[in-house]
Amino acid sequence: MKAFILSNPKSVKDALQLLAVARDSKQAKAIQPLAGGQDLLTEMKEHLAEPDRLVNLKGIAELDYLRNLDGKVQIGALATLARMEKNNLLNEHARVLFEAAHSIASPQIRSVGTIGGNLNQRPRCLYYRLEEANCLKKGGKECFAYSGMNRYNAILGGGPSYIVHPSDLAPALIALDATVFIAGRTGPREMPLESYYKLPSVGDVRTETVREPDELLLSVSFQLPAPGTRSTYLKFKERESYDFALASVALVLGFDGDVIRHARLVLGGVAPVPWRVRAAEAALVGQKADTQTAEKAAELALAGAVPLSGNAFKIPLTKSLIVRAIRSLA
Amino acid sequence: MAQDEKDPVATWPARENLKVLNHDLVRVDARAKVTGAARYTHDVRVPGMAYARLLLAPLPALKIKKLDLAPALKIPGVLGAVALETDRTRWLGEPIAAVAATTPERAEDGLRAILLEYEREPWAIDEAQATAPNAPKVRSNAPKVSTDGDQASAERACEGAAAVIEATYTVPVQHHVCLETHGVVVDYKGGDEATVWCSTQSTFGFTPDAAKELGLKASRVTGLVEYMGGGFGAKFGLGLEGQAACKLSKEIKRPVHLMMTRRDEFLAAGNRTGGKMRIKLAASQDGTLVGMVADRRRFGGIGNGSMAKFPYIYAVENAYSETLSVPMNLDSNRAMRAPGHPQAGFGMESALDELAYKLGVDPLEMRKRNLKDKVYHRQLERVAREIGWYEHPHRDKPGDPKAEKCIGIGFGVAVWGGGGGGGTECEVRIERDGSVSAAVGTQDLGTGSRTYVAAITAEELGLRLEDVTAHIGSTRLPSATGSGGSTTTGSLAPAVKVAAFNAARAFAARLAPVFGVDAARVQFAGGEVRDTQGAKPALSWKQACAMLPAEGLSARGEWTKDANKRLAASGIHGAQAARVEVDTQTGRVRVLDMIAMQDCGLPLNRLAVVSQVNGGMVQALSYALHEERNVDAALGVMLNSTMEGYKIAGSLEMPRMVTIIDDEDERGVIGVAEATCIPGHSAIANAVFNACGARVRDLPLTPDKVLFALGKVV
Ligand SMILES: Cc1cc2nc3c(=O)[nH]c(=O)nc-3n(C[C@H](O)[C@H](O)[C@H](O)COP(=O)(O)OP(=O)(O)OC[C@H]3O[C@@H](n4cnc5c(N)ncnc54)[C@H](O)[C@@H]3O)c2cc1C
Ligand code: SF4
């Protein structure tokens, strides 16, 4: 790991001041925020990230909260995954997020990993994680997964990089219509979490979000779902003990009796961004959550899938997960 | 002295008289291991010690143009660097240089500073590259095809048979993934003496090599293996890493701590041979195997690879096989728990299973029909009963894959030697204060040898396990052989037993006058010494020991052919059954139950035997479902040299495991470790077929392959 300076600001203001130098594109990689370190420290050990300075957020008390303000859930960037998987409010009203948090990594990692770090974590593509493989994502010329080992890579939205976004919280939060609050030198901005992520074909292929290097994600919030809403996060891992998703389904369904009035369907593990499928959502509204409807939604959701040489299995797999998720909320 | 003329000899008491052995013994070092008090090589710290790291070849075949260590020496904290290979490297991960520094991190910075200029040479790191028409010559001595059996008669037998199957089965390269990586601590500061700690499965094996490397007399080098964190066959000898540490220590005149990183371990510390087996297998209508023709390829990297002979355990009238090693520019295979057997077992068990279903014969009956040794019959029947085979609804055809969840059962069998050999000696000491020790330089690679060294001695002297201290893991102690081939117990137990027996006899001779009887009548039992027939009150062990001179008493014993005949044996079997649930929508295979029945002669410590068998099942399950080395042949890299990318089964993958010990006390002790990891993955793969008709012929059974076999991937 390259030597670095560790700064320990006590306020968001101080942290942003430190990060401001990153506006200068030459400095963009020289400074980085550090939360639980579960991803960043690994990247540094493997020389995938080599910042000169880390801005440690852990001392900023004002970023560590999970609260319910009149039906609006607000989660500070430093809230840990463990905190979310133990939260009663989420358990009762936002199962999708509760289950997503629980599905991540191991208890040890969840006890220090934060929501801010989770939403900003870097890809797990085996080539990305291997220092020697200088692929597109790291400034190289080629996507090695495209012609090489791609069992874990994208079947939707891929190109020129075929990563899958690794976060489990992101699909769940997008299914809850969450917004994200970020701030940097040019001031704060708020946007739907869905627009926070970008495809590799948009802008710089080396980044996964629209966040500028001098910006911090400060919080995420969403409206508690209306009564009659049920939700779930169904994640399929190659190895159950701990693993990233081969495919996952974040599903929020609002019911009127047994008829679906509101639907959000977001896929994880299959695309470079959390993959919201509006066509499938539309097909669900006005229907009952029966097998026929579920299968139709699954077909629509995967309609545009283009598998690589080694990951066609993700299509039937994801379809089954969608059907199961929908049926489980009936 | 009429009938007792012959000297009494050491024999195991009848089972009902065993007080310590053949019971469930908690390992004597369990607490130390659980609390972290146990000091592994990794934990050794000596004053002035430097930490070292290895620079590995970044690509599979290089011509080195320039190797300049000077820039490394400029890094603050770097104490020294040595070149290990300056001309060309022949495999991905081959060590090129080593750096020592005040911290491991600085050593790593030093590595990165080394200037290495090279030209790539053509390489082959997968089968396609290695067998291409223009494939590079990986080794100067190209392997030749070896054949076994008569081809013409085997082909003929297949032609005329009632049923034939022909298929190709492949197994991946598996890694040992020892919890403690390979490495050594060389405590040498110049001069003519050194102490070397090594994470090894052969205390006496690596020490002379270390002495040679240091330029010292072997008698002046002490080798220590107090605790070691797993070897599975990969840890014999000093290794390139040990040589590097010795070189560095000589160079910088300081102790050197060199433990491989996890990545080094994946690239340069051995692995289990991968392979491919094309099998044609034929049977008559009743399921008797009549013909077999096999073409086998071993993928052992730069090594030869290993694969047990065909038709493996089964009897086939006319069998022919061809075997060829396909060298690649990758780390050599090494011995790994039952070398060659899990691979050959998978091919044979799968082919036989396919044939059974094709014939509509119960696969369990098919196995029995072709296994001559009746021990297998009783073991198979027992595991079948325990796992519910006889109540299972579909035994000679697979379940309906239309169901979302399908349950299936499968079987596999094992064979192993496990006998001991000469070269092991033990000394038992009885002190005047009543304490007792048994000393032998052997290593405990997790098999529980430390515990049974104490237990055998305690049994012989009528004491409790905790009354005896076992001293192991040092070249200053009596010699012992390395732990390979499950031979440790067969070699060690007779030596310890004879030493304890001799100590008891010597002690009895001293005490005989106290009781005023012949030594043969002095008995040690229940912490007391008594005359078996006399009226005199017994002495407590302590009272008796107090009569010893200041130097106490000691006696030796060694493994001899004669002792072996009475105390140990070789040759074991083993059968396992697995019950799985296949999710036909996702391709997930969940192993629900694994049942093992395993013979091992007289079990010295039943708890340790059960944990060996459980460990074998876990390793096989992990091989069945997850483990495989992934390389990118075009780039020339290993893609999953991390514990995230190289998946091993975790706690949530664990099935209910039941181990049934097939007691055969009369045979004496036999080593058990290796047989236990042979049948499990085959049983699982066969269970998957039985569940839903998905025949996956390529391990591991990941969801993609199961979905594909179910015809769900278009
Ligand atoms: C073995 C293993 C298994 C894992 N499995 C899963 C899994 O199954 N599912 C899953 O979703 N994740 C998984 N992860 C990833 C882990 O959950 C996330 O890495 C964790 O949530 C990251 O949180 P952190 O606080 O430790 O982030 P850090 O490592 O501190 O930061 C991660 C990244 O986010 C940036 N960052 C952190 N906070 C902010 C902020 N407030 N604003 C802007 N940028 C910020 C950092 O600069 C860094 O680039 C796994 C990780 C490991 C090591
Ligand atoms: S998918 Fe992306 S990260 Fe992976 S090799 Fe291709 S460009 Fe690199």
Side-chain angles (χ1 to χ4, degrees), chain B residues 26 245 279 395 483 545:
Chain B
V26 173
I279 300 177
R395 282 180 279 157
S483 293
C545 291

Side-chain angles (χ1 to χ4, degrees), chain A residues 124 127 131-132 241 324, chain B residues 112 263 583 632 644 653:
Chain A
R124 306 309 291 200
Y127 294 92
E131 190 192 355
E132 296 95 304
S241 290
R324 262 187 206 171
Chain B
R112 296 180 74 84
R263 179 143 196 261
D583 184 328
D632 185 301
E644 180 193 329
E653 276 67 49

Side-chain angles (χ1 to χ4, degrees), chain A:
Chain A
M1 175 185 296
K2 204 181 91 178
F4 60 90
I5 298 164
L6 183 68
S7 302
N8 291 293
K10 291 281 170 274
S11 69
V12 171
K13 197 167 142 258
D14 291 351
L16 290 176
Q17 214 148 47
L18 286 162
L19 283 165
V21 296
R23 260 284 136 133
D24 172 359
S25 64
K26 281 198 213 79
Q27 292 293 308
K29 287 183 143 177
I31 184 163
Q32 244 184 292
L34 170 75
Q38 293 308 294
D39 186 22
L40 185 51
L41 294 183
T42 320
E43 283 214 289
M44 288 169 66
K45 280 193 233 168
E46 287 165 10
H47 298 270
L48 303 172
E50 296 195 309
D52 298 322
R53 185 189 294 273
L54 287 185
V55 179
N56 179 16
L57 308 178
K58 285 290 220 193
I60 307 179
E62 61 184 297
L63 283 178
D64 186 9
Y65 56 87
L66 195 172
R67 60 188 174 223
N68 174 10
L69 268 186
D70 302 326
K72 189 169 188 187
V73 179
Q74 298 182 325
I75 307 177
L78 280 184
T80 62
L81 305 171
R83 183 160 174 184
M84 297 167 71
E85 66 170 330
K86 286 178 191 132
N87 186 279
N88 265 332
L89 183 76
L90 300 184
N91 183 9
E92 279 166 35
H93 301 288
R95 284 291 301 186
V96 64
L97 185 55
F98 181 83
E99 290 171 4
H102 182 69
S103 79
I104 293 169
S106 61
Q108 291 92 326
I109 291 171
R110 295 199 293 274
S111 72
V112 283
T114 65
I115 182 171
N118 186 278
L119 296 176
N120 288 290
Q121 63 177 297
R122 304 303 314 279
R124 306 309 291 200
C125 172
L126 292 173
Y127 294 92
Y128 172 75
R129 293 279 156 177
L130 189 72
E131 190 192 355
E132 296 95 304
N134 189 31
C135 69
L136 270 180
K137 202 28 111 196
K138 291 180 282 189
K141 295 198 166 48
E142 211 184 315
C143 169
F144 300 121
Y146 182 75
S147 54
M149 161 135 176
N150 48 39
R151 179 147 51 115
Y152 304 127
N153 293 73
I155 51 173
L156 286 158
S161 163
Y162 291 83
I163 62 150
V164 294
H165 199 277
S167 168
D168 285 305
L169 294 186
L173 285 163
I174 292 171
L176 289 164
D177 293 330
T179 55
V180 56
F181 189 66
I182 61 182
R185 224 182 45 167
T186 52
R189 49 183 182 142
E190 193 168 11
M191 66 182 83
L193 181 59
E194 193 186 351
S195 358
Y196 185 64
Y197 293 103
K198 58 167 214 55
L199 286 170
S201 52
V202 177
D204 187 349
V205 68
R206 288 171 299 180
T207 57
E208 293 81 45
T209 68
V210 299
R211 185 179 73 89
E212 295 293 337
D214 67 308
E215 287 180 313
L216 273 182
L217 184 159
L218 299 180
S219 65
V220 182
S221 55
F222 60 89
Q223 211 62 45
L224 269 186
T229 305
R230 296 197 280 275
S231 69
T232 190
Y233 187 72
L234 191 57
K235 173 177 175 183
F236 186 79
K237 315 174 218 182
E238 197 171 55
R239 168 185 56 192
E240 266 180 281
S241 290
Y242 75 76
D243 217 338
F244 288 88
L246 274 186
S248 68
V249 180
L251 180 69
V252 176
L253 295 180
F255 286 91
D256 184 354
D258 55 6
V259 176
I260 299 168
R261 288 288 169 226
H262 165 87
R264 287 288 179 274
L265 176 63
V266 187
L267 305 178
V270 291
V273 297
W275 194 256
R276 183 168 166 200
V277 266
R278 288 187 165 73
E281 290 170 1
L284 287 167
V285 172
Q287 308 294 320
K288 290 182 183 164
D290 54 24
T291 307
Q292 204 189 346
T293 306
E295 282 172 355
K296 190 168 164 222
E299 285 303 325
L300 286 167
L302 274 298
V306 183
L308 300 169
S309 57
N311 64 6
F313 73 98
K314 283 194 175 187
I315 296 174
L317 171 65
T318 312
K319 282 185 193 166
S320 320
L321 296 177
I322 294 172
V323 173
R324 262 187 206 171
I326 294 171
R327 294 290 301 128
S328 77
L329 296 186

